[in-house]
Amino acid sequence: MSLKSFFAKLFAKKIYRKTQLWATNPIETQRNVFEDLIQQAKNTQFGIDHHFEQIKTFEDFAKAVPVRDYEGLKSYVDKVVKGEKNVLWKGKPLYFAKTSGTTSGAKYIPLTNESIPFHIEAARNAILHYIHETGNADFVDGKMIFLQGSPVLEEKNGIKLGRLSGIVAHFVPKYLQKNRMPSWETNCIEDWETKINAIVEETFDQDMTVISGIPSWVQMYFEKLHQKGVKPIGEIFKNFNLFIYGGVNYEPYRAKFENLIGRKVDSIELFPASEGFFAYQDSQKEKGMLLLLNSGIFYEFIKSDEFYAENPKRYTIGEVELDVNYVLIISTNAGLWGYNIGDTIQFTSLKPYRVIVSGRIKHYISAFGEHVIGKEVESALQEAIIGTNICINEFTVAPQITPKEGLPYHEWFIEFENEPENLGTFAEALDNAMRKQNIYYDDLIVGNVLRKVVVTKVAKNGFQDYMKSIGKLGGQNKIPRLSNDRKIVVLLKKK
């Protein structure tokens, strides 16, 4: 055992014990976070406008602060972007994480002196929990790669801005700098395909032990490595044993990854976003990710099937239930208040509180009242390929409301690595699995409102070509698993 791995195990034990202190006292922990947030922001413009001085309880807060998305908070954010102080949080933010918006164009998410450290600590602690549980720390002596956005930052009214992953790159601890890849110069390449090719050249002959990134883009990296080396990734990187990912569910990619790698590797799931780092997988044995209750974020939860009601109930951590689909609402030490990040989650455990990401509140299919969510289509696909050699690269689902003939249907656009022997049999299995996942969908099939799913094959690299065509190839961008219209699939059909 190296000195570095020895100290990693000691540090992991310390962090695990520290985590237990708040994880075993969740309600008190969240109450303390709530009170601290209100106290620190009471003299900001937002705090004054919403009478923070009078807020003593969560009920007071819920009455004073409505649930908002970015559009609802934009008037305040615009003032921060202009350089005004003490608007949403005390002083000015250190950075803006710039993300692509829809109706509002670019979105500027503030990152403050108080919020930045939690982004760094959460990623670190996820790895330390893995070390503590498994005893595996040898990987700390090898090279680690994090596929991320460029660390080159712009500046707007004295505040630096860029992609979250690029900003975080400036905070990599010194003890990781020698192990970290790619080089700074390569990481600064903006064009994703050029960047991936450069990363392949830099890493091909290195002792890579940890690889991290959004699965779809890591898959692209693996495929290019395989083309160069003409052998499995596990032979190119003999000590590669840990894959760290976030952004999307890994399961649809797992078979393809294991085929590319040539063996199984451990994985750690993260739940980061520009708005905050919400959860990480703290155990290889338990389902779900540990919700971070002491990280400067106060959480609320609204049942997704009640979200669009006039006054939906806002639940706190002590009121949630297992296996219910909730819209995640946050208030943070970066100055986001009653903020709807757009993600939906389900609790897999209440002691401690662990969650899975079940989808996006805006990414669903309910053209006929079925309200199918991301978790359901992913689970159905997994069930349909069990026991087969079918391998999926990427997929998305959309409704076909006005077919040229016959009943409407859900259309699955799938890029296969290994195609099914019989597409009709596969579509039948997929439909049966969907009917188990969603009783409303089953009712529509039984009632002859919908016909069974239709599977449409997407050409090799079709999804990559689509993302490139809309300027979202690489980085933190990802394909929506499903949508309630056909805007995406219309473009896919042209590929």
Side-chain angles (χ1 to χ4, degrees):
M1 181 190 300
S2 71
L3 198 60
K4 194 171 185 179
S5 61
F6 173 75
F7 281 112
K9 287 185 178 182
L10 287 181
F11 191 32
K13 186 175 183 180
K14 177 182 177 181
I15 293 300
Y16 173 79
R17 288 176 174 173
K18 187 176 179 181
T19 299
Q20 295 309 298
L21 292 177
W22 61 259
T24 54
N25 294 282
I27 295 174
E28 180 183 356
T29 297
Q30 276 285 274
R31 183 171 63 246
N32 291 339
V33 169
F34 173 77
E35 291 174 353
D36 183 61
L37 291 175
I38 297 299
Q39 181 63 28
Q40 292 206 55
K42 66 181 181 182
N43 293 321
T44 63
Q45 183 178 334
F46 189 93
I48 293 169
D49 289 348
H50 294 81
H51 312 291
F52 275 22
E53 189 67 48
Q54 299 173 24
I55 292 176
K56 306 300 179 187
T57 65
F58 168 68
E59 289 72 24
D60 294 339
F61 178 81
K63 290 177 183 177
V65 179
V67 172
R68 294 176 168 97
D69 57 12
Y70 186 83
E71 285 297 304
L73 208 61
K74 191 173 183 295
S75 61
Y76 288 97
V77 176
D78 286 347
K79 292 179 180 180
V80 182
V81 172
K82 289 177 182 176
E84 293 185 29
K85 296 180 180 179
N86 304 315
V87 179
L88 287 165
W89 190 253
K90 56 189 181 182
K92 287 185 178 183
L94 292 180
Y95 299 92
F96 288 117
K98 187 178 180 182
T99 66
S100 57
T102 50
T103 56
S104 57
K107 293 164 61 176
Y108 297 90
I109 307 299
L111 299 167
T112 64
N113 189 53
E114 290 79 11
S115 71
I116 280 278
F118 288 114
H119 284 271
I120 314 306
E121 288 176 14
R124 178 202 69 188
N125 290 353
I127 297 174
L128 291 172
H129 273 78
Y130 171 81
I131 291 173
H132 177 78
E133 183 184 55
T134 66
N136 176 20
D138 292 342
F139 63 84
V140 302
D141 296 309
K143 297 290 186 178
M144 306 178 186
I145 189 169
F146 301 88
L147 295 179
Q148 57 190 193
S150 169
V152 176
L153 304 178
E154 305 171 50
E155 192 166 301
K156 199 173 185 71
N157 296 319
I159 300 173
K160 292 181 178 180
L161 62 94
R163 291 190 175 275
L164 175 66
S165 59
I167 293 169
V168 170
H170 291 263
F171 291 86
V172 175
K174 288 184 179 179
Y175 60 83
L176 282 181
Q177 291 288 6
K178 290 183 179 180
N179 299 65
R180 187 174 183 275
M181 297 195 80
S183 66
W184 186 266
E185 292 74 20
T186 294
N187 220 13
C188 290
I189 297 172
E190 290 287 350
D191 180 74
W192 187 253
E193 290 179 292
T194 305
K195 183 173 186 171
I196 285 291
N197 289 330
I199 291 173
V200 168
E201 293 302 318
E202 279 194 359
T203 59
F204 185 76
D205 60 353
Q206 298 294 313
D207 180 23
M208 304 302 302
T209 57
V210 178
I211 296 174
S212 175
I214 291 176
S216 52
W217 307 123
V218 175
Q219 179 177 306
M220 186 176 176
Y221 167 58
F222 281 173
E223 287 172 340
K224 289 183 178 292
L225 277 169
H226 181 67
Q227 290 168 13
K228 181 177 175 64
V230 199
K231 55 184 177 181
I233 307 306
E235 291 185 28
I236 297 173
F237 303 141
K238 296 185 184 300
N239 295 311
F240 167 47
N241 283 300
L242 183 60
F243 172 50
I244 303 173
Y245 69 95
V248 298
N249 184 2
Y250 179 40
E251 291 309 317
Y253 300 93
R254 187 179 293 276
K256 176 67 182 292
F257 267 58
E258 291 179 356
N259 183 53
L260 283 167
I261 296 166
R263 53 182 164 82
K264 293 184 177 182
V265 299
D266 286 346
S267 60
I268 302 174
E269 183 176 8
L270 311 178
F271 184 12
S274 299
E275 295 87 351
F277 203 124
F278 308 121
Y280 58 71
Q281 183 180 349
D282 65 317
S283 173
Q284 295 290 299
K285 302 172 184 176
E286 304 294 335
K287 182 181 180 182
M289 295 173 284
L290 183 69
L291 188 64
L292 304 181
L293 302 176
N294 74 327
S295 297
I297 302 171
F298 177 72
Y299 299 95
E300 301 175 55
F301 312 90
I302 298 176
K303 292 180 179 179
S304 60
D305 57 3
E306 299 175 359
F307 184 74
Y308 291 106
E310 188 172 344
N311 289 299
K313 178 172 172 55
R314 297 159 67 171
Y315 297 87
T316 55
I317 195 65
E319 302 172 293
V320 296
E321 304 171 59
L322 294 174
D323 302 321
V324 174
N325 211 43
Y326 292 103
V327 180
L328 186 63
I329 308 298
I330 59 170
S331 296
T332 77
N333 56 7
L336 302 176
W337 302 101
Y339 189 87
N340 169 25
I341 66 168
D343 286 319
T344 59
I345 56 100
Q346 292 179 6
F347 285 90
T348 60
S349 167
L350 303 182
K351 289 185 179 181
Y353 286 93
R354 292 193 180 99
V355 300
I356 59 170
V357 180
S358 54
R360 299 276 295 171
I361 191 62
K362 291 183 179 179
H363 292 169
Y364 61 90
I365 297 177
S366 198
F368 306 92
E370 62 272 43
H371 206 88
V372 172
I373 61 174
K375 174 180 175 291
E376 292 169 346
V377 296
E378 290 175 339
S379 297
L381 185 60
Q382 286 172 237
E383 182 178 332
I385 64 176
I386 289 175
T388 75
N389 66 349
I390 298 169
C391 191
I392 307 294
N393 284 340
E394 192 60 271
F395 78 97
T396 192
V397 189
Q400 175 52 274
I401 300 172
T402 55
K404 291 181 179 179
E405 57 182 39
L407 294 172
Y409 53 88
H410 286 187
E411 188 170 9
W412 290 61
F413 289 77
I414 303 178
E415 182 183 323
F416 292 99
E417 179 69 18
N418 293 331
E419 294 185 15
E421 292 181 6
N422 186 304
L423 198 62
T425 302
F426 171 70
E428 180 83 19
L430 193 54
D431 192 77
N432 289 336
M434 267 307 308
R435 292 172 67 177
K436 294 176 188 176
Q437 289 292 324
N438 187 299
I439 59 172
Y440 304 111
Y441 177 78
D442 182 57
D443 288 343
L444 292 168
I445 296 293
V446 172
N448 287 321
V449 176
L450 294 179
R451 62 178 158 119
K452 295 178 180 180
V453 303
V454 172
V455 175
T456 298
K457 292 190 290 185
V458 175
K460 179 72 173 176
N461 298 323
F463 283 95
Q464 286 183 19
D465 292 343
Y466 162 72
M467 293 297 277
K468 186 176 182 178
S469 73
I470 61 171
K472 291 189 176 184
L473 183 65
Q476 293 166 280
N477 300 308
K478 42 197 178 286
I479 291 279
R481 284 289 176 242
L482 70 180
S483 50
N484 207 36
D485 56 46
R486 295 180 64 82
K487 291 178 182 177
I488 293 174
V489 300
V490 163
L491 292 175
L492 269 177
K493 280 193 167 184
K494 294 179 180 178
K495 301 300 169 191

